[in-house]
């Protein structure tokens, strides 16, 4: 058993970068002013927030006034969807999304269905990518909103948002993208993508948990979601999480600067991992497109293995990873994403998601390739369904 | 989430395997999550003298299989039939609420394997 | 001019206590696990959250499963109001509140009015306290919710929530209280108060900004507000702000332990301040009841003075304070609270809120009593309306 | 939020006070926020030779009063009438968006005080 933890779950969350925490610390200590106040202590906090806003805007090629801070990806998604649906319900009540969105998109949409909206869930192709033509076909007279994620959190597939945004714009439909998994992994340019709304969450790119942002293109009709004080130009109330926002700003700045280097390093490790697993283990498949995926994501399904057991055994070897198994989720349903790409529930059950980060090394991959086959064998030997 | 006891049984499960020519065998599935458990019994004079299992399932499923086999080994059929999923759970120092259903699998597997034995006896 | 800042704006926000930050730091550094994950790093984060939940429950005399973490007081208020209104709209559409609530209550209620609910705003007495009988008189057949704050953020008046809750319960009406200003200042016992929902925010009691909690009595009908993942037992989605939640838990534990000592110290300073200001300065009034107010709050109105100017001059003397002047607010309306207790807009305009904290000393009060009369005189001399 | 220039004028406002027997006097109020500004002019041969003000208002109101009096002192009436709230704002290195209305007060006070002077002249 190794002492050190090998962390392979960067899609779940990432550690805060040292430089990020360093910029946060003053706002957790002496710079405690409330940014809405008028005296120096408050003005300093306000300035820090505005610098963070500038950094986010720069990273996304947005205008500064188009960035609003939130409590994370979930709030950004809730706000984007409920805020635009309700503000545009005079125009129509139809919304289009895909079958592989995060629950932070699917559950608000389910709620909107309950209160009178209609949602079309466009299926994805077996490679985990949605066909823009199918989005186009789903459009109706009364479609007001399309929400498609930029990159999937389980299988890492990158969606053709630019094409979808173009289709949306031709019909004057609002287009939102959940970029929570994409920020810091692939270049993002909101103007080039042509989108109206984009959600992001700091803890996915080496920033703190509990802070995110929503990009809202100027002119987009949207209601506030958190109502109260006049913060965020009356669009998002609540005393600002100053330290968190400062951390988000610094983290996105660093992520954007290192993007190419980071991505090519991780992609190399990822490919080594994928090749290694596929060649060393039987009855295994790679989930999601082999190439059009995030540089840090690999997702496998092993037959005759259950994901939670796999994770627990990896944990005993000092490896932290994730699974779409029903047994790891409170809901007892296997991952809706794996089912959406056509996996049988039993197979979805035996899935393993490895998501790499900047501290991972070739040796980490070697170690995983050493212990994983043993663990899979051990579990298969215990399985009543497996015949070796 | 899991107690030390659960983790210990999960990591070192007792009585894993098969019994050739077992006196009672049954495979049960958990409709809730798709997990599968197979139980083998060797029975002499109404006493369970050996038991083995194979389980495809979560940590709780494997741990409950393991402890359940320990609990019934050496017991009479009547005693074994009285073992409930609650008893199994308690023996493991509890399970998280969303994992309680996993222990039902173990109870069912024991009952089904004994039933298989009794059926075979009848048909002898 | 003093070098050190004398901070008199603890109702706006408080600095994070050293012991609180110390407990947070591991969760900003090596303990970065996502609490929803199954491996050790995640389980540690989960444990930390559950300890915090226990501490909050203990401080409020609530059950552990009745505490839900949020992104702050504003989210707690939004959730409490919109969540219960929508979940109980089959029973009725009438809501009762007061004229002195925080905008985090008033603005969600305005939104609910837009979508078909009716809201009665019960006026308060000139001392800034609501008469429970007036709440009772406002109740209708279709009243589903009453929301009255425990203590007011501007004038510090403490409201008779226990009596109001009793009235509500007789009629099976849900009762929410915004306790954002009360926590850490006065003892709170949710069972004794007899309330269904209570909002709090960590940064008001020496915890971090951007994290709060909502107490939801078991059996209260309420919809989730942030929808997505299964966090917080499916009631509040989003990756948890682990460090923030840990900070909240530690801060409320300390606050509760030190409550009596803290309150009696601040009350003494407050009384010295009130007596000093009222005796040293002309044309001044104390806003809010002289006795039934938070131990740390003093709120004055000075005629012939405008609040923002007052704050700016205090700032140059190293004193941080607050005002309900229109000029300090984005909205250009003077404080709705001061208007609600019967002040003329001109008088509300010249208000000064001093809210004390544990680091304040007698010397701080002496210093304020020295510089404030000078500043008020200087501004009055510049006023075209003042005749000395 | 405020520029250094605004804060400097706020803290050290120029030309505060009254002029006895002023040639033009006017008091204007800002309906938006309730602030009040009073302007006193001493005018000789069409030139503003002295100016004083009193203001009850926010930092921006006081700073704009102060700089506006500086801007018109020594100017002819015609020149003074051309001074807009925009010019006043620019001279202060800008104002926050929600404080732009404050500078209108200064422009109005100048205009009203000159008007008062012109009316008095007519009635002489
Ligand atoms: C694609 C996607 N959307 C939304 C979220 C929600 O973000 P958060 O948990 O920060 O609220 C996540 C991560 O959990 C995600 O991966
Ligand atoms: C009474 C009251 N309610 C609600 C809030 C909102 O809390 P937060 O700003 O932490 O969201 C505040 C403070 O701003 C408050 O004083
Ligand atoms: S048996 Fe599958 S969740 Fe436990
Ligand atoms: S004049 Fe009142 S806000 Fe500036």
């Amino acid at each position: 058993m190794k002492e050190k933890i090998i962390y392979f779950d960067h899609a779940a969350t990432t550690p805060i970068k040292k430089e990020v925490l360093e910029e946060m610390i003053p706002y957790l200590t002496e710079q405690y002013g409330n940014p809405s106040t008028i005296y120096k202590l408050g003005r300093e906090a306000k300035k820090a927030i505005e610098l963070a806003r500038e950094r986010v805007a720069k990273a996304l090629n947005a205008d500064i006034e188009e960035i609003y801070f939130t409590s994370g990806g979930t709030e950004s998604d809730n706000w984007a969807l409920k805020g635009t649906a309700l503000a545009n319900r005079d125009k129509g009540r139809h919304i289009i999304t895909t079958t592989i969105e995060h629950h932070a998109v699917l559950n608000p949409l389910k709620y909107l269905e309950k209160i009178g909206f209609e949602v079309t869930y466009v299926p994805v192709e077996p490679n985990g990518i949605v066909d823009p033509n199918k989005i186009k076909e789903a459009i109706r007279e009364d479609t007001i909103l399309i929400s498609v994620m930029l990159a999937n959190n389980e299988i890492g597939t990158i969606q053709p948002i630019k094409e979808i945004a173009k289709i949306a714009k031709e019909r004057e439909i609002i287009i939102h993208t959940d970029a929570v998994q994409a920020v810091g992994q692939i270049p993002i340019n909101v103007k080039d993508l042509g989108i109206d709304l984009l959600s992001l969450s700091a803890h996915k790119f080496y920033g703190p948990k509990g802070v995110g942002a929503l990009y809202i293109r100027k002119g987009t009709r949207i209601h506030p979601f958190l109502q109260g004080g006049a913060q965020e130009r009356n669009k998002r109330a609540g005393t600002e999480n100053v330290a968190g926002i400062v951390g988000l700003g610094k983290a996105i700045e660093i992520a954007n600067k290192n993007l190419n280097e980071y991505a090519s390093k991780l992609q190399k490790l990822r490919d080594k991992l994928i090749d290694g697993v596929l060649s060393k283990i039987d009855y295994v498949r790679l989930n999601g497109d082999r190439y059009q995926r995030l540089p840090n994501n690999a997702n496998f399904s092993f037959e005759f293995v259950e994901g939670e057991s796999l994770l627990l055994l990896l944990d005993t070897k000092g490896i932290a990873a994730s699974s779409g198994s029903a047994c790891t989720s409170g809901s007892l349903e296997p991952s809706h994403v794996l089912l959406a790409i056509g996996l049988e529930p039993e197979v979805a059950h035996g899935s393993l998601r490895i998501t790499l980060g900047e501290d991972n090394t070739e040796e980490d991959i070697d170690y995983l390739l050493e212990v994983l086959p043993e663990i899979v064998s051990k579990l298969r030997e215990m399985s009543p369904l497996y015949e070796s | 989430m899991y107690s030390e006891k659960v983790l210990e049984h999960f990591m070192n499960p007792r009585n894993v395997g098969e019994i050739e020519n077992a006196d009672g065998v049954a495979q049960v599935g958990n409709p809730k999550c798709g997990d599968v458990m197979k139980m083998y019994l060797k029975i002499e004079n109404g006493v369970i003298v050996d038991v083995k299992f194979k389980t495809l399932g979560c940590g709780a499923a494997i741990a409950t299989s393991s402890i359940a086999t320990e609990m019934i080994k050496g017991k009479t059929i009547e005693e074994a039939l009285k073992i409930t999923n609650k008893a199994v759970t308690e023996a493991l120092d509890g399970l998280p609420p969303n994992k309680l259903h996993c222990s039902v699998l173990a109870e069912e597997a024991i009952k089904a394997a004994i039933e298989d034995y009794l059926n075979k006896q009848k048909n002898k």
Side-chain angles (χ1 to χ4, degrees), chain A residues 130-143:
Chain A
V130 67
D131 177 353
N133 284 320
K134 294 205 177 150
I135 300 277
K136 194 170 189 169
E137 283 159 20
I139 293 177
R140 309 190 321 203
E141 262 317 307
D142 60 340
T143 305

Side-chain angles (χ1 to χ4, degrees), chain A residues 74-93:
Chain A
T74 298
E75 185 189 326
S76 296
D77 284 342
N78 273 262
W79 182 11
L81 298 169
K82 298 185 205 164
T84 53
L86 292 169
N88 295 277
R89 68 179 181 283
D90 52 330
K91 289 202 198 156
R93 306 206 155 212

